[in-house]
């Protein structure tokens, strides 16, 4: 079945739903959201705790869905995009110069060798339900191409069968996932009882706080805030938390034993997990008896659909490389939310969803798709920066707000921005930065960057060293 829409949003989490609500309310025409799970709302619907503004996670998710539907968007569940019809890679701007593929600008271009059904929905449960909102606005033929003349056609597996959906604009909001045991290169047997935080929370949602469904003794692996949430969920379910294993020397402080600077080296057990081998910071190894292990955090952008279309990725975040308007380098394709870099709080992802709507509306109105601006490259103690490109318009427009994620704990670090050995900005950040939190930075220096120049390097350097008892050390520059 072939259909057309005006805007196709792939992903029914906070970013996708916020984008759909804003677009539908603004009269963008037929706005359709594809969510491969049986219910929309994203990860918050599994998080039965406070911390989503004034709401719990499930409340936040229900409100986000209701807002999108009320605005006129169509929210379809159990429907997943499984590939692109046509070669999106051919849509990349190919003019000479700095921003071109392979020009060493920090972008990664990957093309999967898997078949068309190997996209993000390819390995998931088959679609089982569909929910439709009340569409508002034009639903007629959207035209097979955006202003740049590139077709945006996605192959979709839906409850009604296979479809091809043509859109004037596509918003990728496929979110992020926790790195599984296999990607963490943890050897051993393949017993039951090995979970991610998302799987743990889904088990609680499906079966309630019944510890026998989860286990009796659990080990949690991770250093990010989500490890705390996993511990809380386990304890509410009556599961004893044997220990939290953190590979960082400054691992989290939790109401249970925390093995800092330690790593899980092997899983042990036949049929059911019976223990994990842990290596401590001093090299000694030992067996922790448990029947459940929960791998938390270490987020990866869910970028398979973007990769399958040849959308260039950012080398640092592994999400699509975007400019401040959240445009990818493929005309008509936008990206927002945790697909861009791993994970941020739901409210941050939703804000990006609302922000991308303005650029989508301009695209639908015929605005030209600009050439990519200079790439932003992280350096020093900076792990990544998003968005990964500056606007090609140089000094025009408001200063973009960047998210900077440090690789280590930093106290009063120094931020230095350079382009082609030219200093654009230097300042001391009067704050404490942690690896699991991003710094929001208004790039007031962006107007000084040369739109036709080379990559812009953003560097964070330690200003002070920190001890467990507090901060101390020398002053930054």
């Amino acid at each position: 079945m072939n259909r057309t829409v005006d805007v196709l949003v792939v992903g029914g989490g906070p970013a996708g739903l916020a984008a759909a609500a804003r677009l539908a309310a603004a009269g963008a025409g037929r706005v359709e959201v594809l969510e491969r799970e049986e219910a929309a709302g994203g990860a918050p619907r599994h998080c039965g705790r406070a911390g989503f503004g004034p709401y719990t996670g499930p409340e936040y998710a229900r409100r986000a869905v209701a807002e999108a539907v009320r605005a006129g968007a169509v929210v379809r569940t159990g429907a997943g995009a499984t590939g692109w019809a046509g070669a999106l890679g051919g849509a990349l701007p190919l003019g000479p110069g700095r921003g071109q593929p392979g020009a060493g600008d920090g972008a990664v271009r990957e093309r999967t060798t898997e078949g068309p059904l190997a996209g993000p929905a390819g390995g998931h449960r088959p679609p089982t339900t569909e929910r439709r909102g009340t569409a508002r606005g034009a639903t007629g033929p959207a035209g097979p191409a955006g202003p740049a003349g590139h077709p945006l056609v996605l192959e979709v597996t839906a409850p009604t069968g296979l479809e091809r959906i043509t859109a004037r604009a596509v918003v990728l909001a496929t979110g992020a996932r926790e790195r599984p045991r296999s990607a963490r290169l943890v050897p051993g047997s393949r017993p039951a009882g090995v979970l991610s935080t998302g799987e743990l929370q889904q088990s609680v949602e499906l079966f309630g706080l019944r510890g026998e469904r989860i286990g009796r003794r659990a080990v949690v692996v991770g250093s990010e805030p989500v490890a705390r949430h996993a511990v809380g969920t386990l304890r509410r379910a009556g599961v004893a938390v044997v220990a939290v294993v953190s590979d960082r020397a400054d691992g989290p402080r939790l109401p249970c034993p925390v093995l800092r600077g330690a790593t899980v080296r092997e899983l042990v057990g036949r049929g059911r997990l019976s223990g994990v081998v842990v290596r401590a910071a001093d090299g000694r190894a030992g067996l922790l008896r448990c029947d459940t292990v929960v791998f938390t955090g270490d987020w990866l952008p869910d970028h398979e659909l973007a990769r399958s279309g040849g959308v260039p990725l950012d080398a640092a975040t592994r999400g699509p490389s975007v400019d401040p308007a959240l445009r990818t380098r493929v005309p008509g394709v936008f990206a927002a939310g945790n697909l861009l870099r791993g994970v941020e709080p739901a409210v941050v992802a939703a804000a990006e969803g609302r922000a991308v709507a303005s650029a989508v509306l301009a695209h639908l109105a015929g605005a030209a798709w600009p050439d990519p601006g200079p790439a932003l490259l992280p350096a020093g103690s900076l792990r990544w920066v998003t968005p990964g490109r500056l606007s090609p318009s140089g000094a025009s427009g408001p200063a973009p707000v960047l998210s900077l994620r440090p690789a280590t704990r930093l106290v009063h670090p120094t931020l230095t921005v350079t382009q082609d050995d030219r200093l654009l900005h230097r300042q001391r950040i009067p704050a404490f930065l942690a690896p699991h939190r991003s710094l929001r930075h208004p790039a007031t220096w962006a107007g000084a960057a040369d739109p036709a120049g080379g990559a812009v390097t953003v560097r964070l350097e330690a200003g002070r060293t920190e001890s467990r008892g507090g901060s101390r050390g020398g002053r930054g520059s």
Side-chain angles (χ1 to χ4, degrees), residues 189-249:
S189 56
R190 303 175 66 86
V194 182
L195 305 172
S196 65
T197 312
E199 291 167 336
L200 169 67
Q201 291 172 333
Q202 286 191 34
S203 296
V204 170
E205 181 192 37
L206 292 174
F207 305 114
L209 291 172
R210 298 170 60 183
E212 66 274 17
R213 294 278 189 179
I214 303 169
R216 299 185 181 281
R217 293 168 52 86
V219 168
V220 174
V221 182
S223 305
E224 301 176 45
V226 69
R228 179 185 299 277
H229 300 320
V231 169
T233 301
L234 290 165
R235 296 181 73 172
R236 287 195 299 274
V239 180
V241 179
V242 178
V244 172
V245 180
S246 169
D247 60 356
R248 293 210 303 257

Side-chain angles (χ1 to χ4, degrees), residues 176-186 196-197 221-227 247-248 295-302 317-318 341-343 383-384 405 435-436:
R177 63 180 184 271
E178 292 170 296
R179 194 184 299 271
R181 168 257 182 111
S182 57
R184 298 178 194 234
L185 304 179
V186 178
S196 65
T197 312
V221 182
S223 305
E224 301 176 45
V226 69
D247 60 356
R248 293 210 303 257
F295 290 97
T296 69
D298 200 358
W299 301 91
L300 293 169
D302 220 339
T317 65
R318 311 297 293 177
R341 75 260 129 170
V343 74
R383 182 179 173 193
W384 51 250
R405 181 65 67 95
H436 60 268

Side-chain angles (χ1 to χ4, degrees), residues 117-157:
L117 292 179
H124 294 266
R125 72 186 83 177
T128 56
T129 64
E130 178 178 346
R131 177 168 52 197
R132 295 183 183 278
T134 302
R136 190 175 68 185
T139 58
H150 301 298
L152 299 173
V153 186
L154 279 92
E155 296 173 338
V156 174
T157 301

